[in-house]
Amino acid sequence: MPNDDLEFNVRRPQSINGAALSNYVAVIDLHGELSAFAGEALDKAFVQARQQNPSIILLNFGGVSYINSTGIALIIGLVMQAIKAGLRLMACGLT
């Protein structure tokens, strides 16, 4: 049964193969469950990521243990916000 625990960390990535990604990428590491209870935390994470003025926001789902249909709707909401802001939204860590 899902609970209301979604935690996040917003960070800049380290370079990969010499590419300085930190200049244009913000990573949101998500931990916990992505359901109706996660909306406020997800919005806060997105705002913090945008404050870093990235071109790309990467959602890292590696620490997410549960996603339901409402969680998917919240992600779609972030996609729409990113499009309106002219940002690319990418994802990793999905299984």
Side-chain angles (χ1 to χ4, degrees), residues 83-95:
I83 290 170
K84 287 180 183 177
L87 299 171
R88 291 182 64 192
L89 188 65
M90 302 176 82
C92 68
L94 293 165
T95 58

Side-chain angles (χ1 to χ4, degrees), residues 15-77:
S15 64
I16 298 175
N17 293 329
L21 298 177
S22 64
N23 293 335
Y24 57 92
V25 177
V27 178
I28 301 174
D29 296 310
L30 299 169
H31 304 278
E33 299 182 349
L34 191 48
S35 65
F37 303 106
E40 186 176 335
L42 202 56
D43 286 341
K44 286 180 183 178
F46 192 73
V47 167
Q48 284 186 23
R50 286 198 59 197
Q51 289 173 345
Q52 295 184 9
N53 199 29
S55 299
I56 299 169
I57 295 177
L58 176 63
L59 298 174
N60 178 6
F61 290 93
V64 174
S65 59
Y66 176 86
I67 303 175
N68 66 12
S69 59
T70 304
I72 292 170
L74 292 171
I75 295 165
I76 292 169

